[in-house]
Amino acid sequence: MKQSMMFIPTLREVPADAEVKSHQLMLRAGYIRQNTSGVYSYLPLAHKVLKKIEAIVREEMHNAGASELLMPALQQAELWQESGRWYSYGPELMRLKDRHNRDFALGATHEEMITSLVRDEVKSYKRLPLALYQIQTKFRDEKRPRFGILRGREFIMKDAYSFHSSQESLDEGYDKMFAAYQNVFARCGLNFRAVIADSGAMGGTDTHEFMVLSEIGEDTIAYSDTSQYAANIEMAPVIETYEASTEVKQELVKVETPNQRTIDEVVNFLHVSKEQAIKSILFKVDEQFVLVLVRGDHEINDIKVKNLYGASVVELATPEETKNILNCVPGYVGPIGVNEGVEVIADHAVKAVVNGVCGANEENYHYNNVNVDRDYSVAKYADLRFIQEGDLSPDGEGRIQFAKGIEVGHVFKLGTRYSEAMDATYLDENGRSQPMIMGCYGIGVSRTLAAIIEQHNDDNGIVLPEAVAPFHVHIVPVNAKNDVQRELSEKLYSQMNNAGLEVLLDDRQERVGVKFADSDLIGIPVRITVGKKAEEGIVEVKVRKSGESFEVTTEELSSKLDQLLGN
Amino acid sequence: MKQSMMFIPTLREVPADAEVKSHQLMLRAGYIRQNTSGVYSYLPLAHKVLKKIEAIVREEMHNAGASELLMPALQQAELWQESGRWYSYGPELMRLKDRHNRDFALGATHEEMITSLVRDEVKSYKRLPLALYQIQTKFRDEKRPRFGILRGREFIMKDAYSFHSSQESLDEGYDKMFAAYQNVFARCGLNFRAVIADSGAMGGTDTHEFMVLSEIGEDTIAYSDTSQYAANIEMAPVIETYEASTEVKQELVKVETPNQRTIDEVVNFLHVSKEQAIKSILFKVDEQFVLVLVRGDHEINDIKVKNLYGASVVELATPEETKNILNCVPGYVGPIGVNEGVEVIADHAVKAVVNGVCGANEENYHYNNVNVDRDYSVAKYADLRFIQEGDLSPDGEGRIQFAKGIEVGHVFKLGTRYSEAMDATYLDENGRSQPMIMGCYGIGVSRTLAAIIEQHNDDNGIVLPEAVAPFHVHIVPVNAKNDVQRELSEKLYSQMNNAGLEVLLDDRQERVGVKFADSDLIGIPVRITVGKKAEEGIVEVKVRKSGESFEVTTEELSSKLDQLLGN
């Protein structure tokens, strides 16, 4: 492609409103432009990279046995009413009416639609398993679109769905998809981890998120420093054990702690360690009030509370509710003397606290020398806290460390959530009707593009891995008005095109400094500079990633490129 | 691909609600399913054909110098307000509000968005011309979606836009696109014509529609039986000349014609020829009333009336308006004695009518022996009628014939319609600000798929041309339980895959009759039947299109396929 014909509006300045590197670079390199908040155009360079990512996704989906289809973005409301999500999805689901005043959703995801499609056509166990996918534009009206195309309102997604007649078949399909996802992200040159994620009420390890490691990630990953273990921090179980100290239990005392509300304030004021403090928080678990205790240096993980009760909703009690139930303002809550309507549960670590400190359920007072069983009772001990750096890895191997991640993929065992709600059944070997067992598998294609750039850049611009680069080679004549340089550039351009390389030729009438800066910015792996030595048949090869450059004769060029491009 | 893993829900019955062949066949062959009125899912086979069509489109766009991008479907209302189309587009434009109550349109077309994008980035004549395109899902809330994906509400379109600094450059860009379109449709195996189309107020030959010839087409094409001339019937000028008869002018008489309203009724009743009748219709041209006269055997073409006046809107006068203006009910309207506020215009043919018949502007009465200039006046003569079969071709070569066509493409010189409304300017060589001159070019990608099937089918199903077939070869073992047949089928399958052929292997446990019927239905060009002679290394090759079949040894197979598939 000749650059004069391509639309690559590069910018010299860093756009003021772009916070993260990938967003800045994609604007500067003429990859994207914003149309309105969270809505972007992919300009030709970005489009070429997207097509490369999509081609990788398609190959891996094909290898995983999935076939591609394309469902509509316009989804009649009736489908979402069948699943119940018309009512529960909230404002993120964009809705509209057609000319006949019928309600539609704009596809945020396609579980309902694929379930409806497959239930109408597949009636027998003989047609299962079945795996289908699409690569499609999705719509989600994010409350706070940000970071460019990392969190947009219109984005490109690969969504796959599988249908099975047994749990074993689902497991097998899930494993194939899991492997395909690892291949996709590895081929895209990403440093990523597959992490155990929250599967809601289903629990267990039935869902994984694929996280690209990045400081700007919105999720925290807990991973082992020695094994392959990795989980979303919300999901990592704590397997630490705690031994109670043998110190003598002291007498319980009530102490005045005026305006000392937080754990930090209280332990400083009372000159005790955070490990001695007992953090007590009142939650509303569905309709029941529960007082949750963890050690002062720990944080409560409400997903664990939710899973312990198998609850639908876990929320912090409001100050009003706290006042009503415990007759106390938040900051001074504690487990001593709470009435019988409130269940007290505690993290395992609390059991080992001797002569601890806790709120007195009275404003400006705490208790000291608190000891469980003597001073208060615990209905249940469980793992209720977030894992911390330094904790034992849940698989028993190594210690936990934290990293931030950008979620680019998600594999999920849906089970019969949709097939039961929408009556998607098949006849089994015995002629009995059974709900199909489903899995779903998503990849944020446009987000993957941003994640790749977030991981692959330097001070001069984007540095794309060859597998997803928009072009393999960038030919830049130093002086566009010099006939020898221009002719040699054109000659190399057509030779390389004929050899199957993807080449961008900078045929613009620009100063060489502008051309070099643009070349570095847009991130093509190899640049060939055609300068004064063109007359001798010598050009300069520059490797974008290493910065390494050297001269070669035009005869040597082809074999040199083969080496560099690993072909 | 193995058939057991693909989703091809074929049907034996012709679906009751599918009127046209392509719709019936796409449902029966498991190509598409309707989700709701005018909204379809493209199942794996259709998806593969779409990708082939898209690849052809991309190649031809590339050759025409256009580069691909992807703009969003969500378009902020402000853009459409700038162009004015927010108010003029009507209910076909789907509209919605986001969570902040901001108005959006769902992209029905992208003139506004591309104009906004390019005006923000291109400031100099040095960056022009520029041609950009996208292949994208479009939304148009059709009043009467029909014929399956031929007229849907969500469909796939290739839309290209070009920007120029001179009319000559636009002409050049237009010609390149025109040539690219001819290549696209020829490569898709379509029998089509590029026809001169209505460009609204711009007139002339600045727009062409690409019409696939088909009885179910909604447009009528007038084409020359000897030359390359073809035009939408609405656009074809009439160049016939008419000589008045030399018969003696008779005295004007008013005759009673009770309940004789139509031309047919009146000429039968009065025993005259249709050529002697003068059809008189009252129109409202913008705010002016105009009485239009054509000969009784001709039809008024209101686009010609519109163009004659350079009007925005031409409508039939309502019965109430006719009553008010002419004091007459429709059916008895005529040019004699109309008041001065109404302009009378006539088609050239009317001038030659001697002793004609026309309405008397009085219910149940007509005039006979009507002669122009003596009995009534005509303000203007012009070409005001539709061309008819047998008329001279407008290029002077041959006679006109009619055909029906399905519009699959449209190339259009927009000029400065959008750049002026949206202030998309550039600085010319002299530093003066000028509006960009634009062209736009659309291909209905999903409609092209339907049009191909409409032209390529037989009693047994779809018969796809190789260039767009979902697979090249279909391997069908006769007896799925026979090890020799199954193993030979698998072996041929992997050999052909390795040779770069796209192969579908029917590995289902189905009766051979079912497999053959499905194979014919889905339209793969070559079927290889692996039957009893598998033991001798002999298979049957069947050519879908001709029905021809013959036996070959597995050794000969590869060269035979090369011949058949033109490779």
Side-chain angles (χ1 to χ4, degrees), chain A residues 12 28 460 512-522 527:
Chain A
R12 287 289 157 268
R28 284 187 55 206
N460 297 320
V512 67
V514 169
K515 292 193 279 192
F516 284 170
D518 280 351
S519 181
D520 281 349
L521 199 49
I522 64 181
R527 183 178 90 202

Side-chain angles (χ1 to χ4, degrees), chain B residues 135-147:
Chain B
I135 295 177
Q136 195 203 34
T137 296
K138 294 278 192 284
F139 303 86
R140 289 184 196 165
D141 202 353
E142 291 280 349
K143 198 165 182 185
R144 275 181 222 90
R146 61 185 192 142
F147 295 167

Side-chain angles (χ1 to χ4, degrees), chain B residues 110-341:
Chain B
H110 280 65
E111 281 85 3
E112 283 83 357
M113 191 158 264
I114 194 90
T115 304
S116 139
L117 189 61
V118 171
R119 81 173 163 199
D120 291 348
E121 306 297 340
V122 173
K123 307 291 185 191
S124 159
Y125 72 95
K126 289 183 196 163
R127 292 281 164 270
L128 298 176
L130 180 65
L132 297 165
Y133 76 99
Q134 59 179 353
I135 295 177
Q136 195 203 34
T137 296
K138 294 278 192 284
F139 303 86
R140 289 184 196 165
D141 202 353
E142 291 280 349
K143 198 165 182 185
R144 275 181 222 90
R146 61 185 192 142
F147 295 167
I149 62 171
L150 272 173
R151 186 174 291 281
R153 301 200 286 172
E154 174 172 348
F155 55 95
I156 303 168
M157 191 170 157
K158 187 282 301 178
D159 46 326
Y161 306 89
S162 67
F163 297 83
H164 307 268
S165 59
S166 70
Q167 186 65 37
E168 296 68 47
S169 169
L170 172 62
D171 291 345
E172 208 177 290
Y174 185 89
D175 290 347
K176 270 191 211 164
M177 281 289 173
F178 190 95
Y181 274 44
Q182 290 194 298
N183 293 343
V184 166
F185 298 120
R187 290 175 65 185
C188 286
L190 287 167
N191 180 14
F192 69 97
R193 289 240 178 188
V195 309
I196 300 162
D198 178 23
S199 59
M202 298 168 74
T205 54
D206 286 344
T207 172
H208 287 84
E209 287 165 355
F210 287 79
M211 292 279 189
V212 170
L213 303 186
S214 165
E215 283 171 17
I216 63 153
E218 296 179 342
D219 294 275
T220 301
I221 303 161
Y223 67 97
S224 163
D225 59 3
T226 49
S227 78
Q228 279 302 306
Y229 181 85
N232 191 307
I233 187 179
E234 296 174 339
M235 287 305 295
V238 174
I239 63 163
E240 292 288 331
T241 51
Y242 312 88
E243 214 159 304
S245 96
T246 53
E247 86 184 73
V248 177
K249 291 180 184 169
Q250 307 288 325
E251 195 178 335
L252 181 72
V253 288
K254 189 165 169 181
V255 289
E256 194 172 359
T257 49
N259 288 318
Q260 310 299 313
R261 284 187 175 80
T262 67
I263 292 290
D264 281 330
E265 286 165 354
V266 172
V267 301
N268 282 337
F269 187 81
L270 297 179
H271 303 292
V272 297
S273 72
K274 283 175 90 169
E275 286 80 359
Q276 273 179 274
I278 299 166
K279 193 183 285 182
S280 313
I281 312 260
L282 188 65
F283 280 87
K284 201 171 159 187
V285 177
D286 289 341
E287 290 309 304
Q288 181 188 356
F289 286 97
V290 175
L291 188 66
V292 181
L293 312 183
V294 294
R295 220 167 62 183
D297 57 328
H298 293 155
E299 295 296 330
I300 296 171
N301 181 340
D302 55 356
I303 290 180
K304 290 182 177 177
V305 176
K306 192 173 164 188
N307 289 344
L308 181 68
Y309 284 90
S312 306
V313 182
V314 169
E315 293 171 312
L316 278 180
T318 63
E320 293 70 39
E321 286 167 339
T322 306
K323 183 82 193 163
N324 286 342
I325 301 295
L326 299 177
N327 193 28
C328 175
V329 294
Y332 301 95
V333 168
I336 297 176
V338 302
N339 68 53
E340 287 183 0

Side-chain angles (χ1 to χ4, degrees), chain A residues 46-56, chain B residues 51 58 68:
Chain A
H47 189 269
K48 283 182 93 73
V49 181
L50 286 172
K51 288 287 148 194
K52 299 252 169 134
I53 298 171
E54 289 177 13
I56 291 172
Chain B
K51 287 288 148 194
R58 287 196 167 99
E68 187 171 3

